[in-house]
Amino acid sequence: MSAQVVIEAPGEHRLEEHTPREPVAGEALVRVHAVGICGSDREVYQGNRPEGYVRYPLIPGHEWSGTVEAVGAGVPSTLVGRKVVGEGFRNCQVCDRCHAGETTLCTAGYEETGFTQPGAMATTLTLPARLLHILPDEADLTAAALLEPAACIAAAALKANALPGERVAVVGTGTLGMLAVQFLKANSPAELLMVGTRPDRAELSKVFGADDFRMKDQELPDDFDVVIETAGSASAARTAASLLRRGGRLVLTGIPAPGAEGLDPTDLVVRQLEVHTVFGAPPDAWAHTVRVFGAGLLDPLRLVTHELPLVGFAEAIKLVGSGDPQVGKVLLRP
């Protein structure tokens, strides 16, 4: 059966028959291989997504990989049969931010695959071909389903601009944190520290290149050049800032709950910290991710612990929010 998941409203979903939408001019039709579940999908299902950043009813799914099956007019036919991943933000390509390459800041308004536009929890996905990034022919499409979160971390790594020989750290031990360790390791740091709340992640962090792992409540250093925060809590952001030397660079990627207390502005100013944030990934971060993945410097597949069919959507949502240390990245396989 050709199927799709539809979230009708918060807490309400159904599995229904899927009819592929033929691509019109400028579009491509992709047969979905795998689609990831993340905290944002739980927000959509539970109704916790901020207003304006979701539109019901909705086919979710923004982390995906697949193979191009058909293209519309104006799209090179050579795309057919290629393995691909795709950007989520449906930017206008006309405003000044889009022209500057900052497509996640498009002034035409927020539109994103899997949140306000049909996503990949279906047999096929039709989207603008300009959003696609071509993978090597030998690419593992299951691993490639994690390139969307990897692209968000690539955006953070590019903003951090960690130089070879600098001391770098990652706060947060989830999927984003483990991907951040891999990106930072590729830059040949003098030292790479991971800080988290799950001691069971220590061994894996070192497999990915961390030199040291410390629990958040342990004594921590305060002289790192670069820190990337991935945990999504206000306390994690404060921990990340505390790790930095004066003049150090901080990149925040997590989104705490509304109303969370933030960083101390006095501390930021007195220590002259450079603070960046990331929400989504622009084209340069996607291109960087695909290059790094193609070069064999990313190992996303090791993070996957569960693969379920689309009918297992509800189970997948529960797994992602279970807190079970045995649950890593959960994928659905249309």
Side-chain angles (χ1 to χ4, degrees), residues 123-170:
T123 308
T124 69
L125 172 65
T126 303
L127 74 168
R130 61 180 171 78
L131 298 177
L132 298 179
H133 289 262
I134 300 172
L135 301 172
D137 291 339
E138 67 276 11
D140 184 322
L141 281 176
T142 302
L146 276 70
L147 292 190
E148 191 278 340
C152 295
I153 289 301
L158 290 171
K159 288 189 175 185
N161 190 30
L163 302 175
E166 288 193 309
R167 302 178 69 233
V168 300
V170 175

Coordinates of all heavy atoms in Angstrom, one line a residue, residues 123-170:
T123 N 5.0 7.8 1.0 CA 5.7 7.0 0.1 C 6.6 7.9 -0.8 O 7.7 7.5 -1.2 CB 4.8 6.1 -0.8 OG1 4.0 5.4 0.1 CG2 5.6 5.2 -1.7
T124 N 6.0 9.0 -1.2 CA 6.8 10.0 -2.0 C 6.6 11.4 -1.5 O 5.7 11.7 -0.7 CB 6.3 10.0 -3.5 OG1 4.9 10.5 -3.6 CG2 6.3 8.6 -4.1
L125 N 7.5 12.3 -1.9 CA 7.5 13.7 -1.6 C 7.8 14.5 -2.8 O 8.8 14.2 -3.6 CB 8.6 14.0 -0.5 CG 8.8 15.4 -0.2 CD1 7.6 16.0 0.5 CD2 10.1 15.5 0.7
T126 N 6.9 15.5 -3.1 CA 7.1 16.3 -4.3 C 7.5 17.7 -3.7 O 6.8 18.3 -2.9 CB 5.9 16.4 -5.1 OG1 5.5 15.1 -5.6 CG2 6.1 17.3 -6.3
L127 N 8.6 18.3 -4.2 CA 9.1 19.6 -3.7 C 9.9 20.3 -4.8 O 10.3 19.7 -5.8 CB 10.0 19.3 -2.5 CG 11.4 18.7 -2.7 CD1 12.2 18.9 -1.4 CD2 11.3 17.3 -3.1
P128 N 10.2 21.6 -4.6 CA 11.0 22.3 -5.5 C 12.4 21.6 -5.7 O 13.1 21.3 -4.7 CB 11.2 23.7 -4.9 CG 10.0 23.8 -4.0 CD 9.7 22.5 -3.5
A129 N 12.8 21.4 -6.9 CA 14.0 20.7 -7.2 C 15.2 21.5 -6.8 O 16.3 20.9 -6.5 CB 14.1 20.4 -8.7
R130 N 15.1 22.8 -6.7 CA 16.2 23.6 -6.2 C 16.7 23.3 -4.8 O 17.8 23.7 -4.4 CB 15.9 25.1 -6.4 CG 14.7 25.6 -5.6 CD 14.4 27.0 -5.8 NE 13.2 27.4 -5.1 CZ 13.0 27.7 -3.8 NH1 14.1 27.5 -3.0 NH2 11.8 28.0 -3.3
L131 N 15.8 22.7 -4.0 CA 16.1 22.3 -2.6 C 16.9 21.0 -2.5 O 17.3 20.7 -1.4 CB 14.8 22.2 -1.8 CG 13.9 23.5 -1.8 CD1 12.6 23.2 -1.0 CD2 14.7 24.7 -1.1
L132 N 17.0 20.3 -3.6 CA 17.7 19.0 -3.5 C 19.2 19.1 -3.5 O 19.8 20.0 -4.1 CB 17.3 18.1 -4.7 CG 15.8 17.8 -4.8 CD1 15.5 16.9 -6.0 CD2 15.3 17.0 -3.5
H133 N 19.8 18.2 -2.7 CA 21.3 18.0 -2.8 C 21.6 16.6 -3.1 O 21.1 15.6 -2.5 CB 21.9 18.4 -1.4 CG 21.8 19.8 -1.0 ND1 22.9 20.6 -1.2 CD2 20.8 20.6 -0.6 CE1 22.6 21.9 -0.8 NE2 21.3 21.9 -0.5
I134 N 22.4 16.4 -4.2 CA 22.7 15.1 -4.7 C 23.7 14.4 -3.9 O 24.8 15.0 -3.6 CB 23.1 15.2 -6.2 CG1 22.0 15.9 -7.0 CG2 23.4 13.9 -6.8 CD1 22.4 16.2 -8.4
L135 N 23.5 13.1 -3.6 CA 24.4 12.3 -2.9 C 25.3 11.5 -3.8 O 24.8 11.2 -5.0 CB 23.7 11.4 -1.9 CG 22.8 12.1 -0.9 CD1 22.0 11.1 -0.1 CD2 23.6 12.9 0.1
P136 N 26.4 11.0 -3.4 CA 27.2 10.0 -4.2 C 26.4 8.8 -4.5 O 25.5 8.4 -3.7 CB 28.4 9.7 -3.3 CG 28.5 10.9 -2.4 CD 27.1 11.3 -2.1
D137 N 26.6 8.2 -5.6 CA 25.8 7.0 -6.0 C 25.9 5.9 -4.9 O 25.0 5.1 -4.7 CB 26.3 6.4 -7.3 CG 26.0 7.4 -8.5 OD1 25.0 8.2 -8.3 OD2 26.6 7.3 -9.5
E138 N 27.1 5.8 -4.2 CA 27.3 4.7 -3.3 C 26.8 5.1 -1.9 O 26.9 4.3 -0.9 CB 28.8 4.4 -3.2 CG 29.7 5.5 -2.6 CD 30.1 6.5 -3.6 OE1 29.5 6.5 -4.7 OE2 31.0 7.3 -3.2
A139 N 26.1 6.3 -1.7 CA 25.7 6.7 -0.4 C 24.7 5.8 0.2 O 23.8 5.2 -0.4 CB 25.1 8.1 -0.5
D140 N 24.8 5.6 1.5 CA 23.8 4.8 2.3 C 22.6 5.7 2.6 O 22.7 6.7 3.4 CB 24.4 4.3 3.6 CG 23.5 3.4 4.4 OD1 22.3 3.6 4.5 OD2 24.1 2.4 5.0
L141 N 21.4 5.4 2.0 CA 20.3 6.3 2.2 C 19.7 6.3 3.6 O 19.1 7.2 4.1 CB 19.2 5.9 1.2 CG 19.4 6.5 -0.2 CD1 18.3 6.0 -1.1 CD2 19.5 8.0 -0.2
T142 N 19.9 5.2 4.4 CA 19.5 5.1 5.7 C 20.3 6.1 6.6 O 19.7 6.9 7.4 CB 19.6 3.7 6.3 OG1 18.8 2.8 5.5 CG2 19.1 3.7 7.8
A143 N 21.6 6.1 6.4 CA 22.4 7.1 7.1 C 22.1 8.5 6.6 O 22.1 9.4 7.5 CB 23.9 6.8 6.8
A144 N 21.8 8.7 5.4 CA 21.6 10.0 4.8 C 20.3 10.7 5.4 O 20.2 11.9 5.3 CB 21.5 9.9 3.3
A145 N 19.4 9.9 5.9 CA 18.2 10.4 6.5 C 18.5 11.3 7.7 O 17.7 12.1 8.1 CB 17.3 9.3 7.0
L146 N 19.7 11.3 8.2 CA 20.2 12.1 9.3 C 20.9 13.4 8.9 O 21.4 14.1 9.7 CB 21.0 11.3 10.3 CG 20.3 10.5 11.4 CD1 19.6 9.3 10.7 CD2 21.3 10.1 12.5
L147 N 20.9 13.6 7.6 CA 21.7 14.8 7.1 C 21.0 16.1 7.4 O 21.6 17.1 7.3 CB 22.0 14.6 5.6 CG 23.0 13.5 5.3 CD1 23.5 13.6 3.8 CD2 24.2 13.5 6.2
E148 N 19.7 16.1 7.6 CA 19.0 17.3 8.0 C 19.5 17.8 9.3 O 19.9 19.0 9.5 CB 17.5 17.2 8.0 CG 16.7 18.5 8.1 CD 16.6 19.0 9.5 OE1 16.7 18.3 10.4 OE2 16.3 20.3 9.6
P149 N 19.4 17.0 10.4 CA 20.0 17.5 11.7 C 21.5 17.8 11.5 O 22.0 18.7 12.1 CB 19.7 16.4 12.7 CG 19.4 15.2 11.9 CD 18.8 15.7 10.6
A150 N 22.2 17.0 10.7 CA 23.6 17.3 10.5 C 23.8 18.6 9.8 O 24.8 19.3 10.1 CB 24.2 16.2 9.6
A151 N 22.9 19.0 8.9 CA 23.1 20.3 8.3 C 22.9 21.5 9.3 O 23.5 22.5 9.2 CB 22.1 20.4 7.1
C152 N 22.0 21.3 10.2 CA 21.8 22.3 11.3 C 23.1 22.4 12.1 O 23.5 23.5 12.5 CB 20.6 21.9 12.2 SG 19.0 21.9 11.3
I153 N 23.7 21.3 12.4 CA 25.0 21.3 13.1 C 26.1 21.9 12.2 O 27.0 22.6 12.7 CB 25.4 19.9 13.6 CG1 24.4 19.5 14.8 CG2 26.8 19.9 14.1 CD1 24.4 20.5 15.9
A154 N 26.1 21.6 10.9 CA 27.0 22.2 10.0 C 26.9 23.8 10.1 O 27.9 24.5 10.0 CB 26.8 21.7 8.6
A155 N 25.7 24.3 10.1 CA 25.5 25.7 10.2 C 26.1 26.2 11.5 O 26.7 27.3 11.5 CB 24.0 26.0 10.2
A156 N 26.0 25.5 12.6 CA 26.6 25.9 13.8 C 28.1 25.9 13.7 O 28.8 26.8 14.2 CB 26.1 25.0 15.0
A157 N 28.6 24.8 13.1 CA 30.1 24.7 13.0 C 30.7 25.8 12.1 O 31.8 26.4 12.4 CB 30.4 23.3 12.4
L158 N 29.9 26.2 11.1 CA 30.4 27.3 10.2 C 30.4 28.6 10.9 O 31.3 29.4 10.8 CB 29.6 27.3 8.9 CG 29.7 26.2 7.9 CD1 28.7 26.2 6.9 CD2 31.1 26.2 7.3
K159 N 29.4 28.8 11.8 CA 29.3 30.1 12.5 C 30.4 30.1 13.6 O 31.0 31.1 13.9 CB 27.9 30.2 13.2 CG 26.9 30.6 12.2 CD 25.6 31.0 12.8 CE 24.5 31.5 11.8 NZ 23.3 32.0 12.4
A160 N 30.7 28.9 14.2 CA 31.7 28.9 15.2 C 33.1 29.1 14.7 O 34.0 29.6 15.4 CB 31.6 27.5 15.9
N161 N 33.3 28.7 13.4 CA 34.6 28.9 12.7 C 35.7 28.4 13.6 O 36.8 29.1 13.8 CB 34.8 30.4 12.4 CG 36.0 30.6 11.5 OD1 36.3 29.7 10.7 ND2 36.6 31.7 11.6
A162 N 35.6 27.2 14.1 CA 36.7 26.6 14.9 C 37.9 26.3 14.0 O 37.8 25.7 13.0 CB 36.2 25.3 15.6
L163 N 39.0 26.8 14.5 CA 40.3 26.6 13.7 C 41.1 25.5 14.2 O 41.0 25.1 15.4 CB 41.1 27.9 13.8 CG 40.4 29.2 13.3 CD1 41.3 30.4 13.6 CD2 40.0 29.1 11.9
P164 N 41.9 24.8 13.4 CA 42.7 23.8 13.8 C 43.6 24.2 15.0 O 44.1 25.3 15.0 CB 43.6 23.5 12.6 CG 42.8 23.9 11.4 CD 42.0 25.1 11.9
G165 N 43.6 23.4 16.0 CA 44.4 23.7 17.2 C 43.7 24.4 18.3 O 44.2 24.6 19.4
E166 N 42.4 24.8 18.1 CA 41.6 25.4 19.1 C 41.0 24.4 20.0 O 40.9 23.2 19.6 CB 40.5 26.3 18.5 CG 41.1 27.6 17.9 CD 40.0 28.6 17.6 OE1 39.0 28.2 16.9 OE2 40.1 29.8 18.0
R167 N 40.7 24.8 21.2 CA 40.0 23.9 22.2 C 38.5 24.1 22.1 O 38.0 25.2 22.2 CB 40.5 24.2 23.6 CG 42.0 24.1 23.7 CD 42.5 24.5 25.1 NE 42.1 23.5 26.1 CZ 41.5 23.8 27.2 NH1 41.1 25.0 27.5 NH2 41.2 22.8 28.1
V168 N 37.8 23.0 21.8 CA 36.4 23.1 21.5 C 35.6 22.1 22.4 O 36.1 21.1 22.9 CB 36.1 22.8 20.0 CG1 36.8 23.8 19.1 CG2 36.5 21.4 19.7
A169 N 34.3 22.4 22.6 CA 33.5 21.6 23.4 C 32.1 21.6 22.9 O 31.6 22.5 22.1 CB 33.5 22.1 24.9
V170 N 31.3 20.5 23.2 CA 29.9 20.3 22.8 C 29.2 20.0 24.1 O 29.6 19.2 24.9 CB 29.8 19.1 21.9 CG1 28.3 18.9 21.6 CG2 30.5 19.4 20.6

